[in-house]
Amino acid sequence: MWFVRFITSSIGKKWIMAVSGLLLLFFLFGHIAGIATLYLGRTALQSYAEQLHSHMFFLNIFRIGLLLLCIIHFSTGLFLFYQNRKTRPIPYRISVRVATQAAGAIPVASGWASLPFAARTMPYTGIVILTFIIIHIFGFSIGPQDIPVAKTVVTLLGNPVYGLLYIFSFTVLAIHMHHGIWSLLQTLGLSHPRYTLFVTRMTTIAPVFFLIVAGGIPLLLICGVEF
Amino acid sequence: MKTINLTLQIWRQKNKDAPGDFETFTLNNISTAMSFLEMLDLLNENLTLQGQEPVAFDHDCREGVCGMCGAMVNGIAHGPEPETTLCQLHMRHFQSGDTLVIEPFRSRAFPIKRDLVIDRSALDRIIQAGGYISVNTGGAPEAGTIPIPAKTAELAMDAAACIGCGACVASCPSGAAMLFTGAKISQLSRLPQGQPERKERALAMVQAMDREGFGNCSNERECEAVCPKAISIRHVARMNREYLLASFFGE
């Protein structure tokens, strides 16, 4: 079957990573937009949560889809990681990464992702994010049922240990996204001098924006701001 | 004439199956005007005079266009100078007293034949799978029968500059051969002569690349940084696009 042949090929597996990553990015955008209602006050967040939970059927379909996406993205990533490790049975005695130096040699306008560190640590930042997602789900979704959602959010994120864990995790997520956004466009074949400068800027602007909006909540709560 | 003295740690391996290890040599009075391969020639002359086995390394044109030479010098494919093959790297870029670790290009798909000589026929098999255009034999066609804009020809030439040295594979953290394969798919997809077999080519060449046991690109841009012909990873994006289109919309 053509689709099986496609997804089992090297480019097909990269395509799975790119498409699932893009869909997870869209989800993150929606999720953070929802949680950002807290900036409008605790009641805004509570009414958003109640509105969302009134569509339990669609919400559950969405949750299952999201779970599948996470499983696909993580397992394909893990498979690629192990497959790639086998390609060089004898390692180099000295191995130098030169992409950093080349980034300086190429004019910035040609626009490649600027932080090679992010590219190198993708599997590791991915594992940190997965751990965070599990903690996050246990804290909120499978958390206390009879307490209003907005109260759970404020209590949990106002806890310095938990709040700092959130800020740390969102920083790791921002690093993961910095390479991810550029990488998924490259895998989907979207690379052209006309828009690479824009894409390069977005690989920094978008993760930092998410970090500020999402990380701002625990930061403000820890600093004692009342919502 | 300025000369330098170097300590060389070179990978020695008898054949494909024998275990290999590093051997250390001291080489003095190396003219800084020498190329890296001439420095190895000097080493081999000394070894031969001492009755020792010379270091095997691949080379042909020695002017940076054939793609035969190549080794990792202190962890960088073709040495520290950008856009340079090993034969075009000159000893003036090194300091007297330096230690150079010289290793063959390593990849599961490139068996080591001896010392620094590797078998790159995996790349040839990728080309055989589709890196060509089919032309009927007969009288030579009239020049300029197919008009090609100069800019298109130039862009195709950027990809065609690939000499198949394998530095991209050697330096890829994932052991992928996507810059090599992408360059050829990209080159032919830009030209009118490449159109009839465009989709078949993308499918066949990617399949051949996977069959050889190369890795999966993780977009870390190391290949582009070491490529002696400065081939851009835009060609990898173009290959991804060609392969996607061929998979979803091919005949």
Side-chain angles (χ1 to χ4, degrees), chain B residues 94-227:
Chain B
F94 300 96
Q95 302 294 320
S96 198
D98 279 358
T99 297
L100 304 185
V101 176
I102 307 168
E103 296 179 74
F105 284 169
R106 293 192 194 281
S107 162
R108 176 174 57 177
F110 293 164
I112 293 172
K113 289 164 93 173
R114 192 183 183 92
D115 300 340
L116 304 175
V117 181
I118 53 164
D119 178 358
R120 270 170 302 204
S121 51
L123 298 183
D124 299 337
R125 289 189 290 273
I126 295 175
I127 294 295
Q128 280 163 6
Y132 53 79
I133 57 156
S134 299
V135 179
N136 290 330
T137 54
E142 191 68 29
T145 308
I146 307 167
I148 302 170
K151 195 177 178 194
T152 307
E154 284 298 323
L155 289 170
M157 190 59 213
D158 287 347
C162 171
I163 53 175
C165 65
C168 47
V169 177
S171 55
C172 176
S174 309
M178 292 212 179
L179 192 66
F180 172 80
T181 313
K184 189 52 71 185
I185 290 179
S186 177
Q187 176 210 337
L188 296 177
S189 76
R190 279 191 189 275
L191 297 171
Q193 291 92 333
Q195 298 311 310
E197 291 151 307
R198 189 170 168 178
K199 287 174 181 167
E200 279 170 56
R201 174 182 307 115
L203 293 174
M205 287 185 76
V206 170
Q207 203 176 21
M209 174 178 78
D210 291 348
R211 209 167 35 229
E212 296 295 339
F214 289 109
N216 312 282
C217 169
S218 44
N219 298 331
E220 299 189 34
R221 304 178 293 125
E222 289 293 332
C223 54
E224 178 185 70
V226 299
C227 178

Side-chain angles (χ1 to χ4, degrees), chain A residues 20-39:
Chain A
S20 56
L22 183 64
L23 293 174
L24 288 168
L25 190 69
F26 287 152
F27 160 73
L28 186 71
F29 187 75
H31 189 51
I32 287 181
I35 208 77
T37 52
L38 185 61
Y39 286 111

Side-chain angles (χ1 to χ4, degrees), chain A residues 39-135:
Chain A
Y39 286 111
L40 300 173
R42 201 187 278 209
T43 44
L45 178 66
Q46 188 57 35
S47 68
Y48 157 73
E50 277 162 16
Q51 186 70 30
L52 192 67
H53 287 147
S54 65
H55 306 289
M56 231 17 189
F57 177 70
F58 294 105
L59 189 63
N60 280 334
I61 290 179
F62 199 76
R63 280 174 172 165
I64 292 166
L66 209 53
L67 181 68
L68 280 176
L69 270 183
C70 284
I71 292 171
I72 289 169
H73 192 75
F74 183 74
S75 54
T76 311
L78 202 65
F79 183 70
L80 287 169
F81 178 71
Y82 281 108
Q83 212 175 32
N84 288 345
R85 272 168 64 110
K86 285 191 296 185
T87 58
R88 193 165 291 126
I90 303 173
Y92 289 115
R93 173 178 276 193
I94 301 182
S95 180
V96 179
R97 301 291 192 102
V98 285
T100 16
Q101 295 162 18
I106 300 166
V108 181
S110 82
W112 304 124
S114 49
L115 196 64
F117 167 76
R120 284 164 211 173
T121 52
M122 284 306 264
Y124 312 108
T125 48
I127 287 169
V128 172
I129 294 162
L130 181 77
T131 317
F132 166 69
I133 289 172
I134 293 168
I135 296 171

Side-chain angles (χ1 to χ4, degrees), chain A residues 179-201:
Chain A
H179 180 66
I181 292 172
W182 175 79
S183 189
L184 75 89
L185 293 172
Q186 167 83 2
T187 299
L188 296 177
L190 299 170
S191 171
H192 195 282
R194 251 177 236 149
Y195 50 73
T196 35
L197 183 60
F198 171 73
V199 167
T200 307
R201 285 183 180 152

Side-chain angles (χ1 to χ4, degrees), chain A residues 160-212:
Chain A
V161 177
Y162 211 79
L164 286 174
L165 173 76
Y166 260 67
I167 295 168
F168 169 74
S169 303
F170 271 106
T171 311
V172 173
L173 183 60
I175 294 168
H176 194 80
M177 280 197 291
H178 176 72
H179 180 66
I181 292 172
W182 175 79
S183 189
L184 75 89
L185 293 172
Q186 167 83 2
T187 299
L188 296 177
L190 299 170
S191 171
H192 195 282
R194 251 177 236 149
Y195 50 73
T196 35
L197 183 60
F198 171 73
V199 167
T200 307
R201 285 183 180 152
M202 285 315 287
T203 60
T204 306
I205 294 168
V208 169
F209 174 75
F210 283 134
L211 179 62
I212 291 170

